[in-house]
């Protein structure tokens, strides 16, 4: 028998294990603080209810819909249902932070209430003649959110950066945002699941070898990645992975 949920709760690990499904009622809110584990059965979340993968300074919840061969889906009637995916950002220097959408579709405006997004959309930044990484040319476009386009580079790798202030976010693409310290950002939409393809990646031969082949791809899932699996499925990737911590890569 299908179950129903009409509460407003924050729970740690939530396990969905009912082949008949779980139906949220209008106005219901469930915040998963550690994990949402899908064993079997769908969770139906109408537009008037909220299912949240919570993120705080102490941890971030994830969706596990990949370990069970009978895992169901997040639905909204006959279609895909929405999940709000949060990410707590620690950024003491108010510097750039790399982020990516874990839901699709999503738009730039989904982040606009979390940090300041401005500037001319899709405008390419203009580097200094010496490609100084700490400054741009006078009058160069600038903003609060950027995406990197490898095939736009001619002589300086900074030419790849383009301002984003409107429009859709590309699933699997990464972005660089200037996000204040201790800030929670979020996007709402159908969560990334299953096989996801980013393409086409580019490798443009230009005068500066440091820029060749660098594409900014992001994690498309509200879940951690197993890097050896990613590398094995994409043999054209470089063999080295870098992880950011407080002292650098």
């Amino acid at each position: 028998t299908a179950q129903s949920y009409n509460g407003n709760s924050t729970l740690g690990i939530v396990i969905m294990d009912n082949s008949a499904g779980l139906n949220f009622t209008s106005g219901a809110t469930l915040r998963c603080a550690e994990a949402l584990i899908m064993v079997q059965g769908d969770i139906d979340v109408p537009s008037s209810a909220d299912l949240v993968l919570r993120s705080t300074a102490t941890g971030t919840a994830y969706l596990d819909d990949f370990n069970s061969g009978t895992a169901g889906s997040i639905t909204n009637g006959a279609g895909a249902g929405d999940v709000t995916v949060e990410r707590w950002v620690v950024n003491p220097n108010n510097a750039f932070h790399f982020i990516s959408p874990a839901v699709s579709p999503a738009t730039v405006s989904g982040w606009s209430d979390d940090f300041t997004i401005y500037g001319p959309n899709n405008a390419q930044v203009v580097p200094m003649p010496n490609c100084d990484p700490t400054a741009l040319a006078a009058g160069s476009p600038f903003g609060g959110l950027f995406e990197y386009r490898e095939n736009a580079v001619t002589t300086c790798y900074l030419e790849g950066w383009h301002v984003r202030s409107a429009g859709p976010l590309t699933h699997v693409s990464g972005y660089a945002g200037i996000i204040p310290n201790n800030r929670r950002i979020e996007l709402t939409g159908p969560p990334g699941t299953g096989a996801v393809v980013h393409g086409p990646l580019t490798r443009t031969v230009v005068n500066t070898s440091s820029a060749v082949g660098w594409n900014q791809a992001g994690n498309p899932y509200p879940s951690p990645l197993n890097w050896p699996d990613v590398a094995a499925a994409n043999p054209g990737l470089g063999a080295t992975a870098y992880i950011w911590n407080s002292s650098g890569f």
Side-chain angles (χ1 to χ4, degrees):
T1 302
Q3 297 172 281
S4 64
Y5 173 75
N6 62 0
N8 186 340
S9 303
T10 300
L11 302 176
I13 298 174
V14 177
I15 301 174
M16 176 58 198
D17 191 4
N18 181 353
S19 60
L22 172 66
N23 300 316
F24 278 42
T25 61
S26 178
T29 298
L30 176 60
R31 292 169 290 272
C32 303
E34 297 180 53
L36 173 57
I37 301 174
M38 305 290 287
V39 177
Q40 59 177 338
D42 295 338
I43 299 178
D44 190 78
V45 184
S47 301
S48 56
D50 293 296
L51 176 59
V52 181
L53 295 176
R54 193 70 165 159
S55 183
T56 67
T58 58
T60 297
Y62 66 93
L63 172 65
D64 178 353
D65 62 351
F66 45 84
N67 276 317
S68 170
T70 58
S73 302
I74 310 300
T75 62
N76 181 357
D82 290 346
V83 174
T84 296
V85 179
E86 299 181 345
R87 186 68 182 188
W88 186 269
V89 175
V90 177
N91 191 7
N93 296 320
N94 197 32
F96 285 100
H97 198 92
F98 290 158
I99 54 179
S100 62
V103 302
S104 180
T107 63
V108 170
S109 62
W111 280 325
S112 63
D113 59 341
D114 302 321
F115 60 99
T116 303
I117 295 176
Y118 63 97
N121 191 50
N122 288 318
Q124 182 182 31
V125 305
V126 181
M128 297 286 284
N130 63 350
C131 199
D132 182 349
T134 65
L136 294 174
S140 170
F142 198 70
L145 180 70
F146 298 82
E147 69 177 5
Y148 194 79
R149 302 174 187 172
E150 189 267 358
N151 58 3
V153 176
T154 56
T155 58
C156 172
Y157 73 95
L158 293 173
E159 293 170 319
W161 290 112
H162 290 68
V163 178
R164 289 301 312 278
S165 57
L169 295 168
T170 302
H171 204 207
V172 200
S173 286
Y175 297 85
I178 304 175
I179 305 172
N181 190 33
N182 293 329
R183 180 69 57 91
R184 179 183 290 113
I185 66 174
E186 64 183 34
L187 288 173
T188 300
T193 185
V196 177
V197 177
H198 183 302
L201 299 177
T202 61
R203 182 177 176 85
T204 308
V205 177
V206 293
N207 294 333
T208 171
S209 61
S210 64
V212 174
W214 283 100
N215 289 261
Q216 192 180 16
N219 181 358
Y221 306 110
S223 321
L225 291 175
N226 184 326
W227 181 252
D229 289 344
V230 175
N234 299 274
L237 290 178
T240 304
Y242 298 88
I243 298 174
W244 176 262
N245 59 33
S246 59
S247 61
F249 285 105

